[in-house]
Amino acid sequence: TTGGSQCGFCTPGFVMTMFASYYSPLVTDAQSVDPGGEVLAGNLCRCTGYRALRSVAALTSGAGLVEGSEHADRFASRLHDPVLGAVTAELGSAVVACRPSTLAEAIARRASEPGLRVIAGATDVGVEVTRGFKRYPGILSLDAITDPIFSSCSRAEGTVTIGAGVTMTALEDFLRDGGVPLAGQMLPWFASRQIRNRATVGGNLMTASPIGDMSPVWLAHDAVALIGGSSGIREVRVADFFTGYRQTAVGADELLVALRIDDRVAPPRGRRVAWVRKVARRDRVDISTVAGAFLVVLDDRGTVVSARLAYGGVAATPVRALGAEDALIGAVWRDGDGGVKDARALLGSAFAPLSDHRGSASYRQRLITGLFDACLSETGIGSDR
Ligand SMILES: Cc1cc2nc3c(=O)[nH]c(=O)nc-3n(C[C@H](O)[C@H](O)[C@H](O)COP(=O)(O)OP(=O)(O)OC[C@H]3O[C@@H](n4cnc5c(N)ncnc54)[C@H](O)[C@@H]3O)c2cc1C
């Protein structure tokens, strides 16, 4: 009755998206502002009939979950409690597909079957296959692992642990009650709901993409990566995790297991400024040109106690602006303060970004300082926002 279909070309895709959102309990901030828009961010309509489509999505989202209603049906439980069993498939004597249900077996397989391509959500590896025409001798899938440290999130005494196998949607859900503020702010801008339902925290970090959205977030939160191998778990700060362009500290016989974040807030009467911005050519379903994630802790007088300014899209790896961070210590967090001016000047020459189809080097350079300015004007002492 809302006329949510015109030529019909895109309708099957929209129907599948709405089918999932019909059973979804998620109501994010973005959804409450624009419910239909958030749900449909991953679909395109050539007729641009979005207004009607958004109305349908807003009407139907979550409707299938009304307890005891006529809508509650067998799909709801199947969608939200998928049962993935362990699988091992062989061709001759070679293992071509392996989906273990424990972390220990996955790590053992990693060592014994080095030719298997590891996949978690496969949103990145899938593109390697369909667009890059890559072929692998076999796959080692991590999506049936049930060890809580790998597959869930937990919070204890100010420390948050996020399993590498946790999907972006599950992380959004976990953070709905607060904590790890930069992640909560970035997630609505990460791809689309369809991708967030599959993409994992570990897969994102392991791509080591200079424009991966969550890497600046983890850098600014000074997260620690827990890496599992045959001799147990070792720890590497995310600050030391990226060893080169698309390279990480995780060895060929290891797996990323989890991230640990010290999420204690601020000194008494102080304040924690947490600010994220992703600049892309489209506001949804696009990769960043530049992203900034800033975590600045202020004391009760507004003086900077600690600062972490992390960027994506400005170097071969996601990176922190260490010189500018140092300059901020002791500065009063407002435009015009000497330390703040020094930090801004240092940001002007901190990185040597490249030009590509997403933006020129000089545009990126302006974004590096522009994001800092925007953060300061929105959060600085005396700002009214
Ligand atoms: C349409 C589309 C939109 C996208 N939009 C965004 C976006 O907005 N922002 C963004 O940052 N990314 C985006 N991506 C990229 C991708 O979705 C993310 O990087 C995602 O988080 C990858 O996670 P995954 O679980 O799917 O990884 P996979 O594809 O399964 O794996 C990625 C890599 O990580 C390795 N790996 C996975 N898990 C582990 C582990 N636990 N230990 C060791 N190695 C592991 C794999 O071997 C592989 O090398 C997009 C992709 C698509 C297709």
Side-chain angles (χ1 to χ4, degrees):
T1 56
T2 65
S5 178
Q6 285 192 44
C7 79
F9 187 78
C10 64
T11 303
F14 276 94
V15 168
M16 289 312 294
T17 298
M18 290 186 205
F19 173 78
S21 76
Y22 181 76
Y23 292 105
S24 170
L26 287 170
V27 181
T28 64
D29 286 349
Q31 276 176 308
S32 59
V33 175
D34 178 14
E38 205 278 341
V39 167
L40 299 180
N43 293 74
L44 292 176
C45 163
R46 272 173 44 128
C47 315
T48 66
Y50 289 109
R51 201 172 45 143
L53 285 159
R54 284 178 177 202
S55 307
V56 189
L59 268 176
T60 53
S61 291
L65 286 177
V66 182
E67 214 169 298
S69 87
E70 63 194 283
H71 300 300
D73 60 34
R74 66 199 162 94
F75 289 114
S77 58
R78 289 300 301 272
L79 277 170
H80 292 285
D81 190 19
V83 182
L84 291 178
V87 171
T88 305
E90 293 175 5
L91 200 62
S93 59
V95 175
V96 290
C98 179
R99 187 172 66 195
S101 60
T102 67
L103 188 56
E105 191 192 340
I107 289 171
R109 287 282 183 188
R110 187 87 165 111
S112 66
E113 313 277 353
L116 298 182
R117 182 80 168 115
V118 171
I119 59 167
T123 60
D124 233 89
V125 176
V127 177
E128 287 174 11
V129 172
T130 57
R131 299 291 305 277
F133 303 105
K134 291 204 176 150
R135 295 293 178 265
Y136 304 105
I139 55 164
L140 172 58
S141 173
L142 309 181
D143 62 348
I145 294 175
T146 53
D147 301 51
I149 191 172
F150 181 85
S151 62
S152 63
C153 302
S154 62
R155 193 181 274 122
E157 293 170 15
T159 298
V160 171
T161 306
I162 301 168
V166 168
T167 65
M168 299 300 174
T169 291
L171 181 59
E172 273 178 282
D173 221 7
F174 175 76
L175 296 178
R176 193 138 297 128
D177 297 334
V180 200
L182 296 171
Q185 289 179 36
M186 181 62 96
L187 281 164
W189 305 107
F190 186 104
S192 63
R193 173 62 60 208
Q194 293 98 321
I195 297 291
R196 295 203 295 277
N197 284 344
R198 288 293 308 168
T200 63
V201 170
N204 189 245
L205 198 65
M206 286 302 298
T207 64
S209 166
I211 47 174
D213 281 338
M214 299 308 284
S215 296
V217 164
W218 308 132
L219 280 171
H221 273 295
D222 202 17
V224 174
L226 308 187
I227 299 171
S230 53
S231 49
I233 288 188
R234 65 188 179 97
E235 301 186 358
V236 175
R237 286 175 63 218
V238 173
D240 302 318
F241 187 84
F242 305 109
T243 52
Y245 177 67
R246 289 191 172 272
Q247 286 175 350
T248 75
V250 178
D253 57 351
E254 294 180 311
L255 289 173
L256 179 61
V257 174
L259 293 179
R260 197 183 59 221
I261 291 157
D262 179 351
D263 198 34
R264 278 168 297 180
V265 186
R269 296 191 302 281
R271 167 158 87 96
R272 181 164 73 159
V273 171
W275 190 94
V276 151
R277 197 62 41 94
K278 167 178 175 175
V279 180
R281 296 177 79 163
R282 300 176 71 230
D283 66 349
R284 302 282 172 94
V285 205
D286 201 359
I287 290 284
S288 317
T289 304
V290 169
F294 308 147
L295 199 71
V296 181
V297 177
L298 310 178
D299 68 12
D300 53 346
R301 289 166 302 149
T303 303
V304 177
V305 179
S306 74
R308 289 188 219 108
L309 311 178
Y311 286 91
V314 302
T317 65
V319 67
R320 272 171 58 186
L322 298 176
E325 291 176 0
D326 284 347
L328 282 174
I329 306 298
V332 178
W333 182 243
R334 68 164 160 248
D335 201 9
D337 179 275
V340 170
K341 278 191 197 162
D342 290 347
R344 190 181 188 284
L346 285 163
L347 282 175
S349 58
F351 311 112
L354 297 177
S355 294
D356 66 13
H357 63 284
R358 291 194 181 88
S360 65
S362 63
Y363 174 58
R364 284 196 161 94
Q365 191 57 63
R366 290 173 65 175
L367 286 175
I368 293 167
T369 44
L371 292 181
F372 180 76
D373 292 343
C375 171
L376 197 63
S377 86
E378 289 176 20
T379 65
I381 306 297
S383 80
D384 50 6
R385 299 178 65 173

